[in-house]
Amino acid sequence: MAAREHGFAPLVFRLHGGAPQVVREVLLERGWEEHDEQKQEEGEWNLYWRTSAFRNSDYENVLPWQRLNHHPKMIHITRKDCLTRHLRRMKSAHGAAAYDFSPAAFILPNEYTKFLAAYIRNRTAGKPRYWICKPVDLSRGRGIFLFDNIRDLTYDSPVIIQRYISKPLLISGYKFDLRIYVCVKSFSPLIIYMHQEGLVRFATEKYNLVSLDNVYAHLTNTSINKFGLCYTTDKERVGRGCKWTMTKFRSFLHNQGVNERLLWRKISNIVTLTLLTAAPSIPSSPNCLELLGFDILIDTSFKPWLLEVNYSPALSLDCPADVTVKKGLINDIIDLMNYRMIDGFRQNGYLRRYMRSCTGCHYILTKIPPAFLLPKTSSAPRRWQNVCAKRKKQNITFPSTKTTISSRRKQTRIHHEQMSDVSHDEEINVEVESDDCELTTLRRVRESSRNVPSAVCKLPSLYVQNHKSPTAPYNRPSQDRSIPPSRVGDFILTFPFNEVTWKASRDDVGVKSVVHEIQKLTSRLASSSSDKERTNMDKRVAVRDRFEALLWGPKNPPLLSECCALKSP
């Protein structure tokens, strides 16, 4: 969807030095323009994308029409030791049955004694047990090694030791894992989308527990396997390279007679329950959106295991599967941000004057972004009162500008009628009068923004949809417009998925009720064993729920209500 299609100025993106090239390519193809610091205002951009974390000042100064591609404090689940602590805490609070998807792990050096006790206990019982050691803050498989004898354990930085899943599901003898792309639109309330077209990453040599030091047989990281001797060879059933698309993997599962719906639901549960561990720790940031890479391993009993959560998952295009998956992924992320509505604030914000009253004087802001436009009922910030009082005391005056209120109202109304993507409830009524105080630079406005109440920068609802995007339609819209759309392109809304979870996500995340709903839904999917049962069930029960939740996984996902009987709370 090109930005020019709607008669507006092009949307503008800003990339940090290490941002993936595919992001630039996709945005340029969509008609966006790259931000030019020499020619454009500092705030004249819509999306700022970077692979590393943003500074606190970036979060403080973000404007309503702008988006950052990271939430603050994501270290709570993307750093391996933090994730281990959070999962362990949740397992203790909500039971091992809910959080049994993560292998036992120990954080070294602090928990070396605990690990040693577990190691000796397993050796004494005569159980063969393998372990995997991972540095807590490295990515792309760096520093990872396997061992079965504690004499081989050496480390010079903080690490985690995990029980190694020694019986993974293999395809023609090759180990693989799933890279699931997850987009978190908000942590307060918690809103999770999962992309249907992920990647299946293979090791390039056949799995063998005899040679634990062979990284090409045990690790599935592309950054490692692309240097292996067998990377370009035509491997049995796997083919060349080391990646499949999720579509190809679905065909494999279908041929194996697997209960796919239950498998997809279990993977979706892992994502939701993992993000629930961090939700209370992440500050509310409505201008942010997070793309995460969940690495999921499936064992021989078709049980999925969480390996780790990746911050800024790799978006390099190393093979045809990457091009297919990642370009579509970026397009769907942009559609998920819904700039068609939000950018109206940038379009209306500049070259506009606004009157605010303060004690003894009036003043005008010219070229002011609407982030700083207070409602009529709001009082002027104390900083402005002090400034105006000081100006009057020093007999300093500013040029006066006269603008007719009625004509300005008329122009604003006509402009908003043209903006079909912005609902009437969110129109901005601009009234302008002038007196003896005028501030004319955006820079002064920015400096003053620190004292503007946070309510001024509150975003409009992102979930009011008055349109269907030609490239990524919002399928199956919910009856309640406050509920996020169930589908955007290949992104499927996986949480919240019914009334109970929606309420829990808004009320400081009621984890206990969420866990209960997840377990209840999973058991219903497991019990719906035949297509006949799913077809003949009473669908009238599910209609009572405002949610039209879709089952994540299948390319053409059915409603959850078509898979199992969902009773309203």
Side-chain angles (χ1 to χ4, degrees):
M1 176 186 68
R4 298 179 188 272
E5 291 178 6
H6 309 289
F8 298 153
L11 297 169
V12 180
F13 66 91
R14 179 182 175 189
L15 300 183
H16 192 253
Q21 182 62 27
V22 66
V23 176
R24 176 181 280 108
E25 292 177 5
V26 168
L27 292 173
L28 291 175
E29 288 172 3
R30 294 172 65 100
W32 288 52
E33 289 185 358
E34 189 160 5
H35 184 260
D36 188 337
E37 296 181 0
Q38 303 286 330
K39 300 178 181 179
Q40 293 172 302
E41 296 277 3
E42 184 179 352
E44 277 272 6
W45 51 267
N46 299 85
L47 172 63
Y48 187 5
W49 190 292
R50 57 188 294 165
T51 54
S52 57
F54 288 97
R55 299 165 296 185
N56 289 336
S57 59
D58 292 324
Y59 294 110
E60 294 169 359
N61 298 327
V62 67
L63 302 176
W65 59 82
Q66 297 175 334
R67 291 290 178 271
L68 308 178
N69 73 310
H70 292 304
H71 283 280
K73 298 187 178 181
M74 289 304 298
I75 192 174
H76 284 284
I77 59 170
T78 57
R79 184 174 159 116
K80 298 178 184 67
D81 54 345
C82 294
L83 177 62
T84 297
R85 291 190 188 97
H86 280 300
L87 291 176
R88 188 183 297 164
R89 172 178 55 83
M90 296 294 278
K91 183 180 291 186
S92 175
H94 303 285
Y99 282 86
D100 67 341
F101 53 79
S102 178
F106 303 89
I107 304 169
L108 272 59
N110 293 347
E111 297 177 353
Y112 178 80
T113 303
K114 292 181 179 179
F115 166 66
L116 183 61
Y119 173 82
I120 294 175
R121 189 163 54 248
N122 281 285
R123 298 282 284 194
T124 304
K127 300 178 182 178
R129 184 59 61 93
Y130 302 91
W131 305 90
I132 184 168
C133 178
K134 305 177 183 179
V136 298
D137 56 354
L138 294 182
S139 59
R140 303 192 298 276
R142 292 174 294 173
I144 296 179
F145 64 92
L146 279 68
F147 66 95
D148 60 349
N149 193 314
I150 200 169
R151 290 178 298 181
D152 299 324
L153 173 61
T154 59
Y155 56 94
D156 56 5
S157 64
V159 297
I160 67 164
I161 305 295
Q162 276 184 325
R163 179 174 68 84
Y164 185 60
I165 307 300
S166 58
K167 294 183 179 181
L169 182 65
L170 305 177
I171 297 181
S172 297
Y174 294 93
K175 181 183 174 181
F176 67 92
D177 70 4
L178 309 181
R179 168 59 60 87
I180 308 295
Y181 293 104
V182 176
C183 187
V184 186
K185 285 204 68 174
S186 167
F187 277 94
S188 181
L190 182 61
I191 299 174
I192 305 170
Y193 283 87
M194 293 174 62
H195 204 261
Q196 292 178 293
E197 195 59 280
L199 289 169
V200 183
R201 308 180 307 170
F202 287 89
T204 50
E205 294 187 16
K206 293 200 172 185
Y207 182 74
N208 190 346
L209 283 172
V210 174
S211 54
L212 295 180
D213 58 345
N214 185 357
V215 293
Y216 301 115
H218 294 280
L219 302 185
T220 59
N221 306 77
T222 305
S223 56
I224 291 176
N225 281 281
K226 66 182 180 181
F227 296 107
L229 296 176
C230 300
Y231 178 71
T232 57
T233 60
D234 192 2
K235 297 173 283 296
E236 180 186 357
R237 195 167 190 176
V238 174
R240 295 178 180 273
C242 63
K243 288 180 182 176
W244 279 3
T245 63
M246 196 67 76
T247 299
K248 189 172 182 179
F249 181 62
R250 290 191 190 102
S251 298
F252 165 79
L253 290 178
H254 184 72
N255 295 332
Q256 299 296 311
V258 180
N259 186 347
E260 294 181 57
R261 291 179 173 180
L262 183 58
L263 175 63
W264 299 132
R265 187 65 228 173
K266 287 181 178 179
I267 295 175
S268 179
N269 293 349
I270 288 175
V271 171
T272 299
L273 292 170
T274 301
L275 290 170
L276 280 173
T277 66
S281 307
I282 307 297
S284 177
S285 304
N287 298 69
C288 301
L289 178 143
E290 190 76 44
L291 176 65
L292 299 169
F294 277 69
D295 291 344
I296 305 292
L297 179 73
I298 302 174
D299 64 18
T300 52
S301 61
F302 287 94
K303 176 181 178 177
W305 295 86
L306 174 67
L307 300 182
E308 59 186 61
V309 181
N310 293 271
Y311 185 81
S312 287
L315 294 174
S316 56
L317 305 182
D318 298 320
C319 63
D322 280 334
V323 177
T324 300
V325 172
K326 295 176 182 178
K327 294 197 76 170
L329 175 69
I330 299 301
N331 270 296
D332 290 341
I333 286 176
I334 303 305
D335 288 327
L336 196 58
M337 293 179 183
N338 193 19
Y339 277 108
R340 295 183 65 181
M341 182 179 71
I342 297 305
D343 193 52
F345 289 88
R346 180 177 69 105
Q347 301 293 336
N348 288 331
Y350 284 88
L351 301 176
R352 178 174 290 179
R353 295 188 176 102
Y354 187 83
M355 182 274 293
R356 290 189 191 136
S357 298
C358 63
T359 305
C361 70
H362 301 278
Y363 57 87
I364 296 175
L365 302 181
T366 303
K367 279 192 173 184
I368 176 171
F372 309 111
L373 301 185
L374 287 170
K376 295 179 183 178
T377 57
S378 300
S379 59
R382 185 174 300 277
R383 177 189 173 103
W384 291 115
Q385 297 178 15
N386 295 338
V387 169
C388 292
K390 184 176 180 181
R391 299 296 188 200
K392 290 182 72 68
K393 185 176 181 180
Q394 296 176 355
N395 294 322
I396 299 176
T397 61
F398 293 88
S400 177
T401 302
K402 299 293 182 181
T403 306
T404 305
I405 299 176
S406 60
S407 63
R408 177 65 64 181
R409 281 176 171 171
K410 183 177 181 181
Q411 293 175 15
T412 304
R413 184 169 60 254
I414 293 173
H415 187 77
H416 277 286
E417 288 174 356
Q418 296 172 350
M419 291 178 57
S420 60
D421 294 320
V422 182
S423 66
H424 294 291
D425 294 337
E426 296 165 333
E427 290 184 2
I428 306 172
N429 295 319
V430 180
E431 301 179 15
V432 182
E433 280 188 359
S434 60
D435 207 328
D436 57 353
C437 289
E438 184 174 10
L439 299 177
T440 60
T441 63
L442 178 62
R443 184 174 181 181
R444 290 188 183 183
V445 173
R446 277 187 160 281
E447 290 174 354
S448 68
S449 65
R450 296 175 185 174
N451 293 316
V452 178
S454 59
V456 177
C457 296
K458 184 178 180 180
L459 283 169
S461 173
L462 299 184
Y463 315 121
V464 178
Q465 305 302 333
N466 293 330
H467 68 281
K468 290 186 178 180
S469 167
T471 57
Y474 285 71
N475 294 341
R476 305 181 190 269
S478 301
Q479 296 176 1
D480 188 340
R481 297 176 71 190
S482 67
I483 295 175
S486 58
R487 180 172 187 173
V488 180
D490 277 340
F491 273 115
I492 302 296
L493 178 70
T494 56
F495 187 87
F497 55 84
N498 63 11
E499 295 276 6
V500 176
T501 53
W502 176 236
K503 184 178 185 301
S505 69
R506 290 177 296 172
D507 299 342
D508 296 327
V509 190
V511 178
K512 186 175 182 179
S513 61
V514 171
V515 171
H516 177 69
E517 288 297 308
I518 288 175
Q519 291 175 329
K520 186 165 61 174
L521 175 59
T522 305
S523 64
R524 284 174 179 162
L525 278 171
S527 62
S528 300
S529 56
S530 69
D531 292 336
K532 185 176 180 180
E533 290 176 8
R534 288 190 288 266
T535 304
N536 295 335
M537 71 173 188
D538 187 359
K539 296 182 180 180
R540 290 174 298 176
V541 177
V543 175
R544 300 172 192 166
D545 201 306
R546 291 180 298 166
F547 275 77
E548 293 186 343
L550 298 171
L551 177 68
W552 176 82
K555 192 61 178 177
N556 297 309
L559 288 169
L560 279 175
S561 58
E562 297 172 358
C563 304
C564 59
L566 296 176
K567 297 183 180 179
S568 59

